Amino acid sequence: MSTDTHLNELFSESFDFTLPYKGSLFNGMRPGQTIMIKGQINAYPHSFTVNLGSSTSSDIALHLNPRIKAGVFIRNSFLHECWGPEENTLPKFPSNTLPKFPFTPGEYFEMIILCEAHQFKVAVNGIHLLDFRHRVQDLSRIQQVEILGDLQLLDMKVW
């Protein structure tokens, strides 16, 4: 692994995590790549958003929008100026129970987004919550990470 290709393949060398946050993924996404986001939810939040999208168009391959007040974790894509079908239910655990909504006002969280060949896997605080099948087939088009909303962004890494 050369230092050029995997030197925190993210972007922000200033380590400025002020919101709204935008950073570039140098060579786009690829299977096996992981994005880790550490943050703290504001005391009186409505929601926050994580978008993985194109830097050359308005396309968003993965739109994550936890709505804290409503206790709903929205997932979607925005392609060719149009929102796709919204996903908002969390899949059941093997024990046939629904996972607990993982975001709490004022609390710290860690979110991991793993890119696989056919889907993203999302875990929060060490618990796998959901899969989101790719709606963009050319993963190299996913060149930007955007984070905004009711949180303090503490750290962001890509490997």
Side-chain angles (χ1 to χ4, degrees):
M1 167 168 11
S2 79
T3 335
D4 307 349
T5 53
H6 291 302
L7 197 144
N8 193 2
E9 297 174 10
L10 205 48
F11 28 74
S12 173
E13 295 188 12
S14 69
F15 300 104
D16 178 7
F17 296 124
T18 305
L19 297 182
Y21 178 82
K22 275 191 184 178
S24 298
L25 296 166
F26 291 127
N27 297 311
M29 290 294 291
R30 67 178 183 282
Q33 196 164 31
T34 301
I35 297 174
M36 187 235 6
I37 299 165
K38 294 181 180 181
Q40 183 158 344
I41 305 296
N42 292 352
Y44 301 100
H46 174 67
S47 67
F48 71 92
T49 299
V50 175
N51 289 325
L52 304 183
S54 171
S55 59
T56 59
S57 75
S58 61
D59 285 357
I60 300 170
L62 176 64
H63 169 78
L64 299 174
N65 181 226
R67 296 179 184 171
I68 292 91
K69 284 179 100 171
V72 178
F73 199 151
I74 303 296
R75 289 92 62 202
N76 208 338
S77 61
F78 185 79
L79 305 173
H80 312 292
E81 303 298 322
C82 187
W83 286 105
E86 185 176 277
E87 298 177 19
N88 58 24
T89 57
L90 294 176
K92 293 186 177 187
F93 286 135
S95 62
N96 213 26
T97 61
L98 290 174
K100 180 179 175 276
F101 183 75
F103 302 101
T104 305
E107 295 293 316
Y108 171 86
F109 72 90
E110 292 182 11
M111 180 186 295
I112 302 280
I113 304 168
L114 171 64
C115 181
E116 293 186 332
H118 301 288
Q119 66 187 356
F120 291 105
K121 288 184 167 284
V122 178
V124 178
N125 299 331
I127 298 171
H128 173 250
L129 281 185
L130 59 98
D131 299 331
F132 185 83
R133 294 203 51 85
H134 293 311
R135 298 178 185 174
V136 169
Q137 301 313 309
D138 180 4
L139 298 177
S140 68
R141 288 183 50 215
I142 305 170
Q143 305 154 336
Q144 185 170 275
V145 177
E146 178 183 37
I147 302 171
L148 55 142
D150 300 325
L151 77 152
Q152 178 185 4
L153 181 60
L154 303 173
D155 196 11
M156 156 77 91
K157 288 189 174 52
V158 175
W159 65 90

